[in-house]
Amino acid sequence: MQVGFDLISDLHLTTTDKFDWAGRATSLYCLVPGNISADLSTVKLVLTTLSKYYQGVFYIGGELEFTGCTDVHKRINELSKICRNIRNVAFLYNRVIIMDAIAIIGCNGWYATEPEEDTNAVEILHAEDLLYLTNSITKLQKHIDVRQMIVLSNSVPNKVLYYGEAPEATRGRIDLNSALEADVQNKISTWVFGAYGKVVDTTIDSVHYSSNPACGKNPYWAHRINVVT
């Protein structure tokens, strides 16, 4: 069985930007690894719009959604509430979705940037997300209804995927995809991510890594990803 997903990320919208997705959906589901907007009303508008064109919208908050945020967990609760009230939208913070024998795991990763105000706090958040990802992958190894897994992260999962352009902030941090060591049954086939301004579509050690940043492109189209179960 083949399941298609549209990858949409890094829209970077402001309150004055318009968002229309009519005629652009190519799959039943879409993956949104963050960076929709720093304005929560715009985030809500975009997710509501996407919910009209997809049976499932799987979203994780990106670094843009946390811009200027002094209380990360409060912002997470705000994003969770937004998603809870929109049909067909799933916020993947500390939540795994299983459908059609595919498990979808999401995390921010806190990897791509290093806020000046509190570096230690960001390091803790990065470590927490890496631990959550590793534990989730470990548990899903024994789940009989899961044959394939998709990881959705806002952060670039491995410095190699920057192709020599890794920002200074990434130095010394453990790569998110070190969590793949827990995937002893090789269930993870796909890893989609945001927070990088260039398109990536490559396979490393049997995992398909993909990014599809909008970053001002006009027109901008989704990138379809097919997962075979």
Side-chain angles (χ1 to χ4, degrees), residues 94-198:
N94 280 353
R95 182 183 182 192
V96 176
I97 301 296
I98 298 175
M99 44 161 276
D100 298 327
I102 301 170
I104 307 173
I105 313 169
C107 72
N108 179 292
W110 301 99
Y111 180 80
T113 60
E114 190 144 345
E116 298 177 359
E117 61 271 14
D118 197 344
T119 299
N120 290 334
V122 175
E123 294 291 349
I124 291 171
L125 289 167
H126 171 69
E128 287 177 350
D129 275 9
L130 179 56
L131 180 61
Y132 164 72
L133 199 55
T134 302
N135 288 341
S136 297
I137 292 170
T138 300
K139 290 178 181 178
L140 289 166
Q141 298 302 297
K142 299 178 181 180
H143 201 300
I144 60 174
D145 293 328
V146 174
R147 292 196 294 271
Q148 293 285 346
M149 295 163 62
I150 298 173
V151 178
L152 182 73
S153 69
N154 178 245
S155 299
V156 179
N158 188 305
K159 288 183 279 291
V160 171
L161 296 167
Y162 281 109
Y163 296 97
E165 299 178 333
E168 183 72 22
T170 65
R171 294 189 179 182
R173 290 201 182 157
I174 300 172
D175 288 332
L176 268 183
N177 73 342
S178 64
L180 291 174
E181 294 178 6
D183 185 28
V184 294
Q185 294 188 22
N186 297 316
K187 290 186 176 184
I188 297 176
S189 61
T190 306
W191 192 312
V192 301
F193 59 93
Y196 184 43
K198 295 183 179 180

Side-chain angles (χ1 to χ4, degrees), residues 202-229:
T202 189
T203 299
I204 301 175
D205 295 332
S206 301
V207 178
H208 177 209
Y209 295 93
S210 188
S211 70
N212 183 39
C215 295
K217 294 186 183 76
N218 189 19
Y220 169 69
W221 304 97
H223 173 63
R224 182 182 168 100
I225 294 171
N226 294 315
V227 176
V228 179
T229 61

Side-chain angles (χ1 to χ4, degrees), residues 20-90:
D20 180 14
W21 205 248
R24 300 193 184 195
T26 69
S27 308
L28 291 178
Y29 309 104
C30 78
L31 306 169
V32 186
N35 292 348
I36 292 175
S37 176
D39 175 67
L40 295 190
S41 63
T42 302
V43 173
K44 181 178 180 179
L45 173 64
V46 169
L47 293 175
T48 300
T49 300
L50 291 175
S51 73
K52 297 175 182 177
Y53 300 102
Y54 296 99
Q55 290 185 13
V57 178
F58 306 103
Y59 164 71
I60 191 71
E63 58 183 303
L64 190 59
E65 282 85 341
F66 291 92
T67 298
C69 176
T70 57
D71 187 333
V72 168
H73 293 97
K74 179 181 178 181
R75 180 56 50 87
I76 288 171
N77 288 335
E78 291 171 335
L79 291 170
S80 179
K81 183 178 179 180
I82 287 172
C83 295
R84 210 165 40 236
N85 292 321
I86 306 174
R87 181 179 59 90
N88 297 338
V89 174

